[in-house]
Amino acid sequence: MKNWPKVKLGTLLTESKVLSENPSTDNRIRVKLNVLGVEKRPVTKDKKGATKYYIRKAGQFIYGKQNLHKGAFGIIPKELDGFESSQDIPAFDVDDSCYPEWIFYFFKKGNFYLKLDGFAKGVGSKRIQPNQIYDLEIYLPNKDEQKKILNEIKKAEFKNREILNEIYLQEENLVRLRKSILKDAAEGVLTMDWRKEHPNIESADIFIQKIKLKKESLIKQKKIKQDKSTDSLITDNCDWKLNNSWTIATLNDIFSFIDYRGKTPSKSLEGKRLITAKNIRFGYIQDEPIEYVSQDVYDKYMIRGFPKNKDILFVTEGHTIGYTALVDVPFEFALAQRTICFQPYLEKMETEFFFYLFLNDQFQSIILDNQTGSAVKGIKSSKLKMIPIPIPPIDEQKIIIKKVKGLLKNCSNLNEVIRSNKENSVKLFQTILLELLGEENNKLIVENKTRRNVKKSLSRDIKYNDKTINMKLVELLKLHGKLHAEDLWKMSEYYDDKNINDSIDKFYSDLKTKIEIEKTIKEVTNEKGYIELV
């Protein structure tokens, strides 16, 4: 391997620029992220403009300028011969001295493509241009040796795929097992033997009566308002299986609903945490994004109450409708729109049972069946309140919670083993790639962004104003006129000094939309890095 010559990648790749004379939206290709290959792009309407499209040929190496460092590269397959892409997805003829697959695995081995992140340049949208990868060095043995090695790689890849397919099957079975546990919990299967051993337990009707008395007391004390909802009881898909001593009640019978009604709350750089629908995942609360509201905004919740630990959060709108999480955080927080907090009328109630019930497939189906809306679908609070749910006696709820916790912990342990096996399989294949292909040790000279930004800051007119922060991009440009991208970012709603990378990504994503699609903002001609309104 040490005797293999090294050549510049640019000596092997020639960008293909065969212009399509009759471009068609039905004849486009795209490159998927995470090295998942090249495929036909779904038919979409062409945006107005003078975008040029180029004919692509089977066997060409192709990559996405904006996403090469995210694994958007591949070889054009035979079935996509003659398809088209724009110059943002360039394709390259490969020199006869090299198999296209040799270049493909050059980028894949050791996840080398991830290291190209720093190559991406631009203001509105960051791209990696062909001339930036041309200087990369690649080992180039003769074609006979390339073919022999590529055959070995394909054998290893086949075995690795067999292992991964088995792992994927294990993952699917684990998902089914979790669903089965939640279903058995909601139907009382997990406590079947327990009920036989405890025939004289207190009925769930008595439990509901206690909640009713507590609710009436809270209304009299004017701590909550009398519900005036006129929605009828939801019946579709609500044929819950009930056991002896179980009963049916609505969510409104059990919980007080806390939500934010009004405009999207103004965010601040500090204050009380804000939990949004993005934080609520299926079964847990994730920390990102970290956002805040002022104390004044938080105090508005005094009217409706505050979320507490052991309450249940629920997403009411959007593609994550039905996502639910049990509150267990060491801080006070406010809720954003599209979320609701279910707070039990009885303070010491075992809410975990209801949390598991909300994760159940049947409950999730009820939510989807009752969502409304066109552009963004959601479910109204008044509808949620009228969903009937099965209620076991309080003692049985405690047993169900204990059993489900134990079973789900076993599932988590199994998942950890599966995850570890998947990682080991991927690492093994990467080791094989590096052993077979070698490591060129390309020195990626990436400009230090921090040092560059400091240098630019010292040599330009800085318009940053800390009194006009947390604003939308267009509003900032209307107020200040032409701004450097760095100043625009630091004063925008996206700036977050605790999570710089995510903050910059969100900023550039919105900037790109406004430059390329909405065309409300443009880059200043002859003043690199500056932005202004169109």
Side-chain angles (χ1 to χ4, degrees), residues 266-328:
S266 299
K267 298 169 189 174
S268 63
L269 296 178
E270 57 184 15
K272 296 290 188 181
R273 279 289 300 274
L274 177 70
I275 297 296
T276 73
K278 293 179 181 178
N279 297 109
I280 303 172
R281 312 316 297 162
F282 196 72
Y284 65 97
I285 299 174
Q286 69 175 14
D287 203 38
E288 299 293 340
I290 297 177
E291 296 176 304
Y292 299 92
V293 295
S294 67
Q295 186 67 47
D296 289 342
V297 171
Y298 180 74
D299 288 342
K300 290 181 181 179
Y301 285 81
M302 286 298 293
I303 300 171
R304 315 185 73 81
F306 296 103
K308 303 174 183 177
N309 280 340
K310 297 296 183 179
D311 288 355
I312 300 172
L313 302 185
F314 187 86
V315 178
T316 61
E317 190 179 288
H319 69 281
T320 59
I321 184 173
Y323 277 25
T324 187
L326 196 67
V327 179
D328 183 16

Side-chain angles (χ1 to χ4, degrees), residues 22-34:
N22 299 297
S24 169
T25 57
D26 192 42
N27 208 30
R28 303 275 161 77
I29 56 177
R30 65 181 180 185
V31 189
K32 300 173 74 175
L33 303 179
N34 303 314

Side-chain angles (χ1 to χ4, degrees), residues 154-170 425:
K154 288 176 181 178
K155 290 177 184 177
E157 204 165 34
F158 178 79
K159 290 180 181 178
N160 185 60
R161 194 177 297 116
E162 283 187 325
I163 294 171
L164 288 175
N165 285 341
E166 177 60 33
I167 291 173
Y168 296 146
L169 181 60
Q170 292 172 3
S425 178

Side-chain angles (χ1 to χ4, degrees), residues 360-407:
N360 184 288
D361 275 355
Q362 186 171 342
F363 184 84
Q364 290 291 316
S365 295
I366 296 171
I367 299 301
L368 296 179
D369 289 344
N370 287 277
Q371 60 183 343
T372 56
S374 52
V376 179
K377 292 187 177 294
I379 185 167
K380 297 178 180 178
S381 297
S382 56
K383 279 275 189 184
L384 276 172
K385 289 179 179 179
M386 300 313 292
I387 294 177
I389 55 175
I391 312 292
I394 185 65
D395 289 339
E396 190 168 353
Q397 290 178 33
K398 294 176 182 179
I399 300 300
I400 291 173
I401 292 167
K402 183 178 179 180
K403 286 181 175 290
V404 172
K405 278 184 176 178
L407 291 169

Side-chain angles (χ1 to χ4, degrees), residues 204 207-208 242 245-249 254 353-354 389-393 397:
F207 169 63
I208 296 298
L242 296 181
S245 71
W246 286 43
T247 191
I248 285 282
I254 309 293
F353 167 78
F354 298 94
I389 55 175
I391 312 292
Q397 290 178 33

